[in-house]
Amino acid sequence: MNKISRRKFLGIGGAGLAAAALAACAPPAILPIPTSSTSGLDDGPAPTTPPQKAPTTTPATTASAAAADVEIALSAIPATVPIFSGQPTQVWQFQGEVLKGDAASLQSLPDTYLGPIFRLNKGQRLRVNLTSQIPRETIVHWHGLHVPAEMDGHPRHAINQGERYDYEFEVLNRAGTYWYHPHPHGLTGPQVYAGMAGFFLVSDEEERAAGLPGGEFDIPLVIQDRLFNSDNQLVYLSNGMMDQMDGFLGDQILVNGQPDFTLPVATRPYRLRLLNGSNSRIYKLGWNDSAPLTVIGNDGGLLETPVQKPYVTLAPGERVELWADFSDRAVGSEMVLQNQPFIAPTGTMGGGMMGGGMMREGSAALPLGERYPILTVRVERQSDERSPLPERLSTIERISPQDAAQTRRVALRMQPPRGWTLNGRSFEMTAVAPDEQVRLGSTEIWEFVNEGGGMMGGMMGMLPHPMHMHGEQFQVLERQVDRSGRAAWESLSAGFVDGGWKDTVLVMPGERVKVIRRFDDFTGLFLYHCHNLEHEDMGMMRNFEVVSSA
Ligand code: C2O
Ligand code: CU
Ligand code: CU
């Protein structure tokens, strides 16, 4: 049915128009992954820098190494991992090693492309020596962490193969589920897709006092979608420009890098930390038996109190933490966490509102808004552990709108020929518009407006945009949706977890979302962008500059 409506759309020349609108766009970036061939990850032009080149100098000085509590060597390297039976899959991944400090600061995961899990305490000083062996420029960004501009993994700091970048910062964030991934301009999508991502978990006193399940009962789970060819190799942007405009969608769900993921559990409570590490796919997550979800945390750590949800909506970049109590389940029983049906906003190709808005011809992509399994929980053993769900999890100080120096408006807009833009602008490496300068120490409201409307907007402007800000976390103040977007919005909105601290917020078509945050501690260039990685790579990203008020 979706294919039929798409053909119809093609028939009236929609594709021609869309393509014409994009003809002046930058061509797809040189990708590490073949778009449709079966060749390996490492084909393409030779690296611009030979591997033996001396390390570049970076802002952190060796003198400060002594002050670091934990020092980690992190490398980006090509590797092969077993994902399916038969041929292993070529990936790019992060590998790490603790050089100094607690060896438990890094937890390596076997048989997956995912990077090691960083486990730090608030207040620790971390030093990371990043080296790269991949044949493209790269840089690591610590998603959700509040770090100095030079430590944030801005694309202007990207390194080539054989080069090195030294990070050093204090972990200022409260306990929470953060993550790290590459951020080179135009290449974030393909590099995350190729396997480069990992968790960055922070603990603190307040979290420990909450007495949540720990150790093997505290489980980080990253949900991603991928497309594989018959040789088990990753395929990216098989639909070229349309994949870029809409965002890439795969046909295979991977959890922690594995297909058909099954979590063996005991009859007791668990803390499940979910990260949507997909390039563009939005999930509406619920149990197959309609059991409600108990949400205890989101992007910036624990909520004040647990919240019951019929399902949770998780857009790319977002995290949600669940208290999942399997005490009443019978040993041998199974539960399936699945994607629930929702109205998928129409993409570039306008493939019909219901169910599979982004279904494309020639692609077996899983329709966005249909029911499909994410992971299976299998109750395997009895446990008598019955620790109760804490009534109070943390304390969150609300930022008052009265404290905001101003409200800035950011229009999320389709602007041919450039594609998706922020206030009509595309990313420029170091440019900052006058309305993108923020005073150090100030509090501001930012309003993200997903416009839609207009001729091109009407055709291509009906996509959701998960908006992310670097630096400090924000609080969601309010959401408003207009008539055009209401039906799709209502099919997902009960799953928004807007309490607490956030760094990424889904802005649906026709919706405006106001967030409030502080801009403390660090001056310099930081990014705000859509976390649909194909949108980000096409330039739906801008700098903001925190300037000293002196
Ligand atoms: Cu997770 Cu600027 O990104
Ligand atoms: Cu980020
Ligand atoms: Cu977007």
Side-chain angles (χ1 to χ4, degrees):
M1 187 214 175
N2 290 304
K3 286 188 179 181
I4 291 166
S5 49
R6 180 181 174 241
R7 284 205 189 91
K8 231 189 255 166
F9 197 70
L10 285 171
I12 59 166
L17 237 178
L22 288 164
C25 269
I30 300 159
L31 299 168
I33 304 164
T35 52
S36 58
S37 75
T38 58
S39 53
L41 287 172
D42 54 354
D43 56 347
T48 51
T49 313
Q52 61 274 22
K53 188 190 159 181
T56 48
T57 54
T58 59
T61 64
T62 38
S64 59
D69 299 303
V70 176
E71 186 171 354
I72 286 170
L74 189 70
S75 50
I77 66 170
T80 57
V81 294
I83 296 179
F84 302 99
S85 60
Q87 272 220 70
T89 304
Q90 297 179 54
V91 299
W92 287 353
Q93 69 176 178
F94 289 115
Q95 294 184 1
E97 187 192 343
V98 177
L99 302 177
K100 181 189 164 187
D102 188 354
S105 305
L106 208 60
Q107 179 190 349
S108 292
L109 304 167
D111 284 351
T112 176
Y113 55 77
L114 290 172
I117 301 175
F118 283 65
R119 291 180 182 272
L120 275 292
N121 288 312
K122 181 178 178 175
Q124 281 188 308
R125 275 199 81 78
L126 173 66
R127 192 175 161 87
V128 178
N129 314 323
L130 172 72
T131 52
S132 171
Q133 294 172 33
I134 63 167
R136 292 291 182 283
E137 63 168 19
T138 194
I139 192 70
V140 170
H141 165 60
W142 318 97
H143 181 125
L145 293 189
H146 178 41
V147 298
E150 303 294 306
M151 301 296 136
D152 195 42
H154 190 279
R156 73 187 188 281
H157 294 133
I159 58 170
N160 288 312
Q161 188 175 41
E163 294 182 333
R164 166 172 165 171
Y165 196 90
D166 290 347
Y167 296 84
E168 186 173 334
F169 56 85
E170 180 183 342
V171 178
L172 297 174
N173 287 65
R174 69 200 292 261
T177 305
Y178 307 98
W179 62 300
Y180 63 98
H181 61 74
H183 222 303
H185 182 48
L187 296 171
T188 297
Q191 291 187 9
V192 171
Y193 188 75
M196 296 166 71
F199 279 104
F200 192 112
L201 307 182
V202 176
S203 295
D204 65 11
E205 282 308 322
E206 183 180 48
E207 181 202 43
R208 282 187 280 273
L212 295 166
E216 61 175 305
F217 309 109
D218 172 2
I219 303 177
L221 298 162
V222 51
I223 306 170
Q224 297 176 308
D225 62 334
R226 296 288 185 268
L227 192 61
F228 294 90
N229 67 15
S230 51
D231 295 323
N232 296 343
Q233 303 309 309
L234 289 162
V235 177
Y236 184 61
L237 293 184
S238 54
N239 292 289
M241 209 169 275
M242 292 311 146
D243 268 354
Q244 287 186 293
M245 296 307 290
D246 291 356
F248 172 90
L249 293 175
D251 67 349
Q252 174 78 52
I253 299 298
L254 301 179
V255 174
N256 290 353
Q258 288 158 18
D260 306 315
F261 186 87
T262 299
L263 183 67
V265 300
T267 54
R268 54 156 292 150
Y270 281 76
R271 176 182 188 177
L272 303 180
R273 308 178 188 239
L274 305 177
L275 157 65
N276 182 349
S278 309
N279 282 36
S280 93
R281 182 175 291 271
I282 294 166
Y283 300 94
K284 176 176 177 177
L285 302 170
W287 294 113
N288 62 325
D289 64 359
S290 307
L293 301 167
T294 303
V295 181
I296 55 171
N298 56 354
D299 301 353
L302 296 175
L303 303 176
E304 289 202 289
T305 56
V307 177
Q308 295 267 6
K309 293 276 181 187
Y311 60 85
V312 294
T313 302
L314 206 59
E318 288 187 304
R319 289 85 71 203
V320 84
E321 296 193 24
L322 306 178
W323 167 277
D325 190 353
F326 305 112
S327 303
D328 296 334
R329 303 274 160 177
V331 170
S333 64
E334 288 187 348
M335 294 168 78
V336 179
L337 187 69
Q338 55 187 13
N339 188 66
Q340 312 278 9
F342 63 92
I343 300 175
T346 317
T348 311
M349 294 312 300
M353 280 298 276
M354 293 302 296
M358 298 191 190
M359 191 69 182
R360 302 176 200 85
E361 200 165 18
S363 150
L366 273 173
L368 200 56
E370 285 179 13
R371 194 181 302 277
Y372 56 82
I374 305 286
L375 64 87
T376 301
V377 169
R378 184 183 300 139
V379 184
E380 287 196 342
R381 61 202 165 88
Q382 198 65 42
S383 162
D384 296 325
E385 173 60 42
R386 290 287 178 278
S387 53
L389 171 64
E391 274 170 44
R392 186 150 192 99
L393 297 161
S394 75
T395 299
I396 290 169
E397 178 214 343
R398 297 302 305 181
I399 307 178
S400 165
Q402 255 97 62
D403 294 340
Q406 62 171 308
T407 298
R408 292 177 201 254
R409 198 168 170 278
V410 179
L412 318 180
R413 186 182 297 159
M414 165 54 63
Q415 192 127 322
R418 270 172 293 145
W420 293 108
T421 64
L422 299 174
N423 282 337
R425 303 179 186 119
S426 302
F427 183 65
E428 300 166 89
M429 192 60 86
T430 53
V432 179
D435 61 17
E436 293 172 318
Q437 288 196 334
V438 182
R439 291 235 161 270
L440 179 68
S442 64
T443 296
E444 293 196 358
I445 294 170
W446 285 41
E447 183 180 34
F448 299 109
V449 184
N450 191 335
E451 287 188 331
M455 207 271 289
M456 295 311 290
M459 178 162 44
M460 301 198 286
M462 295 297 283
L463 284 185
H465 301 286
M467 291 303 300
H468 170 53
M469 293 183 82
H470 288 210
E472 278 163 283
Q473 302 265 322
F474 52 71
Q475 293 176 352
V476 178
L477 284 181
E478 83 180 48
R479 293 174 176 270
Q480 278 175 44
V481 65
D482 68 18
R483 287 175 64 90
S484 69
R486 181 153 287 278
W489 188 86
E490 283 177 347
S491 75
L492 288 170
S493 58
F496 295 152
V497 183
D498 284 345
W501 294 99
K502 299 269 301 160
D503 56 52
T504 308
V505 67
L506 181 61
V507 187
M508 291 290 287
E511 187 180 26
R512 43 182 69 219
V513 181
K514 278 187 189 163
V515 304
I516 188 166
R517 61 166 281 191
R518 299 194 184 95
F519 296 83
D520 285 338
D521 302 318
F522 308 122
T523 56
L525 289 188
F526 295 91
L527 300 163
Y528 65 106
H529 60 89
C530 178
H531 220 285
N532 175 319
L533 299 183
E534 286 70 45
H535 291 181
E536 172 183 340
D537 281 345
M538 76 163 63
M540 195 180 187
M541 173 161 82
R542 291 286 301 175
N543 291 307
F544 65 88
E545 183 178 19
V546 180
V547 296
S548 141
S549 33

